[in-house]
Amino acid sequence: MDLTLRVWRQAGPEVPGHFETHEMRDVSPDMSFLELFDTLNERLIAEGREPVAFDHDCREGICGSCSMMINGRPHGPERGTATCQLHLRKLPDGATITVEPWRAAGFPIIRDLVVDRSAFDRIIEAGGYITAPTGSAPDANEILIPKEVADAAMDAAACIGCGACVAACPNGAAQLFTAAKYAHLSLLPQGQPERWTRVVRMVREMERWFGSCTNHGECEAACPKEISIDFIALLNRDYVKAQLRNRALAGQRG
Amino acid sequence: MGTVDLDPKVPPGPLAEKWDHHRFSVKLVNPANRRRFTVIVVGSGLAGASAAATLGELGYRVELVTFHDSPRRAHSIAAQGGINAAKNYRNDGDSIQRLFYDTIKGGDYRSREANVYRLAQVSVEIIDQCVAQGVPFAREYGGLLDNRSFGGAQVSRTFYARGQTGQQLLLGAYQALARQITAGTVRLWNRTEMLDLVVHDGRAVGIIARDLVTGELRRFSGHAVVLATGGYGNVFFLSTNAKASNATAVWRAHRRGALFANPCFTQIHPTCIPASDEFQSKLTLMSESLRNDGRIWVPARIGDDRPPHEIPDDERDYFLERRYPAFGNLVPRDVASRAAKREVDAGRGVGPLRNGVYLDFSEAIARLGRSVIEERYGNLFQMYERITGEDPYTVPMRIYPAVHYTMGGLWVDYNLMSTVPGLYVLGEANFSDHGANRLGASALMQGLADGYFVLPATISDWLAPLLGEPTVPIDDPVFTATETAVSERIHRLLSVQGRRSVDHFHRELGRVLWDNCGMERSAESLDKALGEIPALREEFWADVRVLGGEEHFNQSLEKAGRVADFLEFAELLVRDARHREESCGGHFRVEYQTPDGEALRNDAEFAYVAAWEWAGEGAEPVLHREPLVFEAVQPTQRSYK
């Protein structure tokens, strides 16, 4: 098949960028989207031009490195699929494909299609953990967790931290990322003691870097792991409750 | 033959009590003094992240260096199936002794007993630790943890979180690490790649790393250096490893004096998606857990081109069930891989390139229902469908073996210290626990055992006597000299200005290795590779084209350095395979096999760890041996029949 690629090139954060057009002739539909970029880069190197920088690693849809805006959609047209798992057979033959980096104030550009997503790490560092120093754990089966609870926590924990939710959001908000981690930990019994401080710290850190959520729902549609926007409701509810809560009583139920 | 001079420092006493005794005998650092020690940890996968977090919790100052943009991206994240632990929650006869025995046997009697026993002991604590951190393992309806079985075992001891166990365990370790970053005990250096080890007076005192965004070289000085930088499977170019996984850190440490053990022990995983074309950039694993419910078969008749559903049962050959009735589809990886290769080589391969065998779920779906299969393997089926365009619920998967894991690595003693004092090596980067073949669901176990429990208990023995000694200043001549060497190498890579891309050489190297030192090896094929690799290396340094400069984000330059190291390391791998004139585990020499085609060990001559010493450019490496002494288990011919 044939494709025309319009690729964003930008030598560094302070340099203006531009689109570059490349005709990709006779490429196999079984090729993955990143292999298309491998092919392009081999060609550029052969022509003595610098290859396109892009983040990628596992190429199995789990590490969350890949991050391409494909025709205005994070990770492209296939639902629930990261860029690395997108194959050319899902694109129309002869199409022109525009590829850009994640566009969000919270993710500054490093080069070409590579952005800096360390703000996500700052949100986790602010409270996205359960305090359990090594060695202090009780026997694993002493903590009974109903299957439904474990499953729901796992649904949230499936987040790969790619940032598609932020890139899709008209406000550049990171609510879905933050809510997914918050829900994973706070649905579990182990996560209860720190629940109310966790929600306040994570939300405050998130707001330092990202825009505000206005319930567009674009994040859920863009998420390669199809994480539900319902978790944002949990995050918002708990954030409000935390402001009103007497933390000294937090260990009690109800 | 080489010399026998390696002391593994295995503690005395009965096997079951060694670890306890040892923890009592090591020197300790008192809590108030720990902040006076700096430990450099390289790598943020399961081993590195868990080690950094735990050392931080103990109060040491930790510098964590990772080339990833975030610690959470390390390739541990891609492990699918699960993690073993001798909990015996299923009441099916499991015990520490049995996990120990299965691991020794699975490794074809080429691992160190004391390390493996400790691994089995610690496995139990790992699960407790991970649950406490909030790892959402699969549960039964009563709220207890669920288990499944895995290759090489007859008990169900594998804990799992859907098909994303590695992801969940890594996130657990990453979150523990994040907590320490906030607490100020760990400093994170992301997008920073270690390019050399600094050795001063025979001790590891620091590293030189490159900031991948600005290109700046940084000097890190510490009282100890911990490498948790993963395996070298990407030396084959096509593997299930992530694209950036590389051997540079361990290879550079090797060149600075750390012995490299058993590099020829590479694992070829039986259940990967077959390669489809020449532009293929990597191979994708389908978790071994699929072999619990999938049945592996090929058409019994050579050249049978009918679609799978048209081939009646009596014209199929379920070759694993036929050859290994006791373990069936759950034989260890090396056995399953070779069996598949044998069928494909005989012309019974399936798929457009006839390079696969079927992994068929139709019977399991009929027995358990689609929803059960979907719950167990849904994400794997989806991944398969994305890559191949075929629906595994209705058409059997096609699978074929691919390079997946490397049992070899830097030699370490019982304390996980390499032959360079002060340099520790954890996880896949070391060689210690899996012998010549790793069992499924044991990589995660080992990475976390090393990071959470072993290193934090042993490192104090090294640090305690250094109390009051400052770290070597980063303007010391030894740092300057090492940095100069790194910088000169970068200039050299950029100045070749040849015609061929880095990937060209990497693919070529992978082809040489896969063809001559892959699933089967012979003296002839290995000699051929030993001729081809130096020639390819020479060509690389004469004709590689690395564009761009050094003072900015430059992925070609990163790749070039890694491939240059692979080109050196590959030769050692092949040399090790050539010297080991026996077959064991993943190392299969065609000259040494039983009449029915199984690996034939030679315990009289090769029951040792081969640890190689760098002897300089162009010089033959020196072989050192650590004899393997088996007290608790008597080596026998492995049988899974």
Side-chain angles (χ1 to χ4, degrees), chain B residues 58-206:
Chain B
L58 288 169
Y60 297 108
R61 290 161 52 130
V62 179
E63 306 281 2
L64 178 66
V65 175
T66 171
F67 64 69
H68 290 286
D69 71 321
S70 163
R72 66 182 294 154
R73 311 260 186 245
H75 195 51
S76 307
I77 201 135
Q80 298 165 354
I83 176 166
N84 287 328
K87 282 284 197 185
N88 194 30
Y89 282 160
R90 317 313 291 180
N91 194 29
D92 56 0
D94 200 10
S95 61
I96 287 168
Q97 178 71 23
R98 187 174 296 282
L99 176 53
F100 158 70
Y101 173 77
D102 285 351
T103 307
I104 289 274
K105 177 187 172 194
D108 217 354
Y109 308 96
R110 289 294 173 265
S111 37
R112 190 189 288 151
E113 269 192 348
N115 284 54
V116 176
Y117 198 89
R118 174 178 66 188
L119 177 66
Q121 285 175 307
V122 164
S123 70
V124 176
E125 294 170 68
I126 295 171
I127 301 302
D128 299 342
Q129 178 60 29
C130 294
V131 167
Q133 289 171 344
V135 170
F137 284 120
R139 299 266 163 181
E140 304 271 11
Y141 281 97
L144 297 166
L145 288 155
D146 193 14
N147 291 103
R148 58 187 175 198
S149 57
F150 242 67
Q154 287 175 308
V155 295
S156 293
R157 63 160 76 98
T158 305
F159 296 79
Y160 66 102
R162 291 191 192 147
Q164 291 129 277
T165 316
Q167 179 198 26
Q168 293 311 314
L169 295 176
L170 181 61
L171 292 180
Y174 159 70
Q175 286 157 204
L177 177 68
R179 180 171 157 257
Q180 291 310 306
I181 292 172
T182 298
T185 57
V186 178
R187 269 202 299 183
L188 172 66
W189 299 85
N190 66 333
R191 291 201 196 265
T192 305
E193 180 170 23
M194 168 178 164
L195 292 179
D196 213 340
L197 179 74
V198 181
V199 179
H200 184 54
D201 286 343
R203 281 168 25 188
V205 298

Side-chain angles (χ1 to χ4, degrees), chain B residues 312-326:
Chain B
D313 217 44
D314 59 350
E315 290 178 44
R316 301 174 175 190
D317 181 9
Y318 294 92
F319 55 91
L320 289 178
E321 297 171 27
R322 172 172 58 80
R323 289 175 60 187
Y324 308 99

Side-chain angles (χ1 to χ4, degrees), chain B residues 484-510:
Chain B
T484 306
V486 168
S487 160
E488 277 169 3
R489 192 158 174 275
I490 290 172
H491 294 154
R492 227 180 117 202
L493 285 167
L494 288 168
S495 64
V496 178
Q497 301 279 351
R499 292 166 304 158
R500 304 256 186 204
S501 72
V502 175
D503 272 1
H504 163 82
F505 290 101
H506 196 180
R507 262 180 209 280
E508 201 48 34
L509 175 66

Side-chain angles (χ1 to χ4, degrees), chain A residues 35 42 45 54-55 57-60 81 89 121 125 132 134 139-141 145 147 155 181 184 190, chain B residues 57 68 70 89 128-129 131 134 162 174-175 182 191 243-244 281-282 375 386-387 501 545 555:
Chain A
E35 284 163 356
E42 285 298 292
I45 292 168
F54 62 97
D55 265 329
D57 200 18
C58 79
R59 300 205 177 189
E60 295 179 14
T81 304
R89 67 178 87 92
D121 289 327
E125 286 157 17
T134 307
D139 183 86
N141 258 346
I145 303 178
K147 187 173 185 307
D155 288 342
K181 183 46 61 194
H184 158 213
Q190 305 92 302
Chain B
E57 286 164 7
H68 290 286
S70 163
Y89 282 160
D128 299 342
Q129 178 60 29
V131 167
R162 291 191 192 147
Y174 159 70
Q175 286 157 204
T182 298
R191 291 201 196 265
K243 291 294 285 177
S281 60
K282 75 162 296 227
E375 186 172 354
R386 296 243 161 79
I387 292 171
S501 72
R545 174 178 287 182
Q555 291 171 316

Side-chain angles (χ1 to χ4, degrees), chain A residues 127-131 145 148-150 152-154 156-157 177-203 231 233-239 241-242 245 250 253, chain B residues 131-136 175:
Chain A
Y129 49 77
I130 288 171
T131 297
I145 303 178
E148 295 78 0
V149 173
M154 183 62 216
F177 168 80
T178 309
K181 183 46 61 194
Y182 177 72
H184 158 213
L185 299 174
S186 299
L187 286 167
L188 293 170
Q190 305 92 302
Q192 297 313 306
E194 293 164 294
R195 179 171 177 178
W196 308 106
T197 47
R198 175 183 304 123
V199 70
V200 172
R201 287 185 186 163
M202 288 181 78
V203 168
F231 293 124
L234 176 74
L235 178 80
N236 290 343
R237 187 198 68 180
D238 275 15
Y239 184 68
K241 276 172 96 174
R245 192 126 186 147
R253 297 217 167 243
Chain B
V131 167
Q133 289 171 344
V135 170
Q175 286 157 204

